[in-house]
Amino acid sequence: MRIAIVAESFLPLMNGVTHSILRVLDHLQERGDEVLVIAPSGHDGEAAGRVKGAEVHRLPAVPLAGYTNVRVALGGVYRVKRILAEYAPDVVHLASPFVLGWRAAQAAHQLGIPTVAIYQTEVPSYAARYGVPFLENWAWNRVENIHLLSSRTLVPSTFALNQVRGRGIPRVRMWRRGVDTARFSPAKRDDGWRASVAPGGERIIGYVGRLAVEKQVEDLAALAGIPNTRLVVVGDGPQRAALEAALPRAVFTGFLGGDDLARAVASFDLFVHPGEFETFCQTIQEAMASGVPVVATGRGGPLDLVENSRTGWLYEPGDLSAMRARVQDLVGDDAKRRAFAAAAHASVQDRTWPALCTELVQHYADVIAGAPAPAQKVSKAGASS
């Protein structure tokens, strides 16, 4: 196949969207497909290059206010349409589309190229967290317009499936996320690393993720004072300084990747994720693959990932006393925690990236087979509207 992936965010920024794209690129490279990635430029304005066999076309971009490593691509629909027309892909993959993805959805529609749109980020719900609740309806209108234009929408969880169908979006299918069960494994547990962050032998309560407003990491303050525990926060982001002040006894490691991340996660005794706006939550799946039980909020992706009283605990959104009680339950009972850990590890062993990417390629094939005839040629003025 000849595939264009339009990435709302991409390297050097590492997040859930980038991580998924990289795993897809691994699979497409192995298959021998031709791939173009269209993405915002990085902060140093690097030129187009290649990543995992794919050509990368960078568009001029500016930093998002308050979150400088997130870049927003500039330009109109016509610029993206010109790139797609020249590349002539069989299918366009829209990765968590919102700004650049909206332009690409319009461009592909005008060119008659089928699109697979990945609903991965609950952007509209971020509005209230960022103090602009009046933008939520506008953001939902944008999301709806993108997915109404798309040949197929893929969602990562039952919650997201019901959410987008409830907005009237048709042609929706489930596509979960894979996990690298060789990289994330109980075998990576490291007593030396544990001693470096919890020298008193405390039980380690871990969090992994961006330190941003929508992740609600400040809720972890509710865990302060639980005896014989140490909170370890892995990740970086614009909220780091505020969180270090709010969680003075926590260990902040900064961003970790590769083997360093796998070692840290496997060395936790318990993983806690307080965010309420996760359409999937890949870090929960990585913790489970590492043999670590999970306590998470009972909304969004965690509802599919965590089985109450078997692989971890879910608590009602906002009920921080329940979160604390669930954490105390597991850190205070070694036998129960080990049983939950074993069940968590077993529950994700068949969720490999190759299997999930094979599903994705079938979605590509489906929309290519059912693609409508090319749309009528649109004038330059109309294309850039």
Side-chain angles (χ1 to χ4, degrees), residues 5-360:
I5 297 178
V6 181
E8 205 68 45
S9 62
F10 194 54
L11 295 173
L13 179 65
M14 275 304 299
N15 56 23
V17 176
T18 303
H19 180 266
S20 295
I21 293 169
L22 293 175
R23 299 291 75 78
V24 169
L25 290 179
D26 283 333
H27 188 76
L28 298 179
Q29 182 178 33
E30 188 174 314
R31 279 172 40 90
D33 296 308
E34 294 182 58
V35 184
L36 171 70
V37 176
I38 303 171
S41 66
H43 59 85
D44 56 358
E46 70 269 29
R50 298 192 78 83
V51 174
K52 297 181 181 293
E55 178 188 351
V56 181
H57 187 112
R58 300 282 185 174
L59 293 175
V62 294
L64 184 66
Y67 205 159
T68 54
N69 32 347
V70 174
R71 312 275 295 177
V72 179
L74 301 173
V77 175
Y78 182 71
R79 182 195 293 263
V80 180
K81 184 178 177 183
R82 190 175 65 239
I83 297 166
L84 291 177
E86 182 178 334
Y87 188 70
D90 300 310
V91 63
V92 175
H93 171 138
L94 304 175
S96 195
F98 193 72
V99 179
L100 177 56
W102 171 226
R103 297 177 203 140
Q106 295 173 84
H109 182 72
Q110 292 167 11
L111 291 166
I113 303 170
T115 50
V116 172
I118 314 298
Y119 176 73
Q120 187 166 340
T121 308
E122 196 180 331
V123 173
S125 297
Y126 289 5
R129 296 291 303 175
Y130 279 89
V132 285
F134 53 88
L135 291 179
E136 184 171 358
N137 285 338
W138 171 84
W140 271 120
N141 287 336
R142 166 63 60 84
V143 169
E144 290 165 11
N145 288 335
I146 290 169
H147 293 281
L148 287 169
L149 275 186
S150 301
S151 308
R152 181 168 296 185
T153 290
L154 302 182
V155 297
S157 64
T158 305
F159 180 90
L161 182 73
N162 293 331
Q163 188 179 47
V164 300
R165 283 183 172 169
R167 308 292 307 192
I169 296 169
R171 304 179 297 279
V172 184
R173 301 288 186 275
M174 187 85 80
W175 180 59
R176 301 188 188 276
R177 298 294 179 271
V179 63
D180 186 340
T181 54
R183 177 180 168 202
F184 291 97
S185 162
K188 301 295 178 69
R189 187 176 175 93
D190 185 324
D191 289 338
W193 188 91
R194 287 175 55 81
S196 72
V197 298
E202 299 94 339
R203 297 283 179 253
I204 298 174
I205 303 166
Y207 165 85
V208 178
R210 290 195 318 279
L211 305 186
V213 170
E214 69 273 11
K215 299 297 184 180
Q216 298 171 248
V217 184
E218 68 277 6
D219 287 357
L220 298 178
L223 306 180
I226 297 177
N228 194 37
T229 63
R230 173 72 68 187
L231 177 63
V232 176
V233 177
V234 177
D236 211 341
Q239 292 294 108
R240 180 167 177 175
L243 290 168
E244 286 178 335
L247 305 168
R249 296 198 68 251
V251 175
F252 285 77
T253 70
F255 175 81
L256 297 178
D259 290 340
D260 290 337
L261 176 61
R263 178 170 58 249
V265 175
S267 299
F268 295 161
D269 292 297
L270 181 64
F271 183 90
V272 181
H273 199 291
E276 297 173 16
F277 304 117
E278 299 295 324
T279 58
F280 185 73
C281 200
Q282 180 68 3
T283 55
I284 285 179
Q285 193 165 243
E286 290 167 352
M288 295 170 79
S290 303
V292 178
V294 174
V295 173
T297 186
R299 184 187 186 276
L303 291 168
D304 285 357
L305 294 173
V306 180
E307 186 177 344
N308 251 334
S309 194
R310 198 178 81 86
T311 63
W313 289 113
L314 297 171
Y315 63 92
E316 286 293 322
D319 190 349
L320 301 188
S321 62
M323 176 180 74
R324 181 183 175 95
R326 295 309 194 189
V327 168
Q328 287 176 308
D329 174 65
L330 288 176
V331 297
D333 188 331
D334 291 348
K336 179 185 285 189
R337 194 174 64 254
R338 282 194 294 269
F340 277 35
H345 178 257
S347 72
V348 299
Q349 292 308 298
D350 61 346
R351 300 178 189 172
T352 66
W353 272 112
L356 271 295
C357 288
T358 297
E359 283 184 24
L360 177 63

